[in-house]
Amino acid sequence: QVQLVESGGGSVRPGGSLRLSCVFSGSPFYKTAIGWFRQAPGKEREAVSCIGETDGFIYYAESAQGRFTISRDNAKNTVYLQLTDLRPEDTAVYYCALGSYASLRESTYSYWGQGTQVTVAS
């Protein structure tokens, strides 16, 4: 049974930082890419970043470029998303998802976590 569990969300002031974690288990051997997506209230879910089995395949959405950093620890089956210089518009539920290759397209991913809330407000 595939399972993804996000953690690390919270409330921070603008300019603050958070590190999100996505622990995954039970994945088929051919599905190793993790994508991070977010959904703000009243908006559609959007891509944030993704990473393949190795660090050689990393992509960022324009909104994340230069502020967010994705990384993974394969020994721990964990992918991290470091959020820095957070802005109120980053407020959303952040989801991680498991797929066969790194892509910013939602349709690439077959399995999803339940999400973790990030709130940026003064």
Side-chain angles (χ1 to χ4, degrees):
Q1 181 180 355
V2 177
Q3 199 168 20
L4 297 96
V5 179
E6 303 96 335
S7 63
S11 296
V12 297
R13 296 184 183 278
S17 299
L18 287 171
R19 188 175 80 156
L20 308 183
S21 299
C22 172
V23 180
F24 58 97
S25 60
S27 60
F29 72 94
Y30 54 89
K31 289 190 182 293
T32 57
I34 294 290
W36 280 99
F37 295 79
R38 67 185 184 185
Q39 187 167 22
K43 295 187 176 181
E44 292 188 356
R45 190 156 56 188
E46 64 177 5
V48 177
S49 183
C50 60
I51 185 168
E53 185 174 5
T54 67
D55 291 352
F57 296 93
I58 290 176
Y59 305 103
Y60 295 98
E62 188 174 340
S63 59
Q65 194 76 40
R67 298 188 300 127
F68 299 173
T69 304
I70 194 169
S71 62
R72 69 187 294 158
D73 183 338
N74 288 334
K76 296 181 179 179
N77 278 4
T78 301
V79 171
Y80 304 99
L81 185 67
Q82 179 71 45
L83 312 177
T84 63
D85 190 24
L86 283 163
R87 305 164 182 169
E89 54 264 38
D90 295 318
T91 295
V93 177
Y94 284 69
Y95 300 90
C96 65
L98 177 71
S100 300
Y101 59 92
S103 168
L104 294 177
R105 291 184 302 178
E106 251 188 77
S107 59
T108 303
Y109 299 91
S110 307
Y111 304 95
W112 293 78
Q114 293 300 305
T116 185
Q117 176 71 47
V118 171
T119 302
V120 185
S122 54

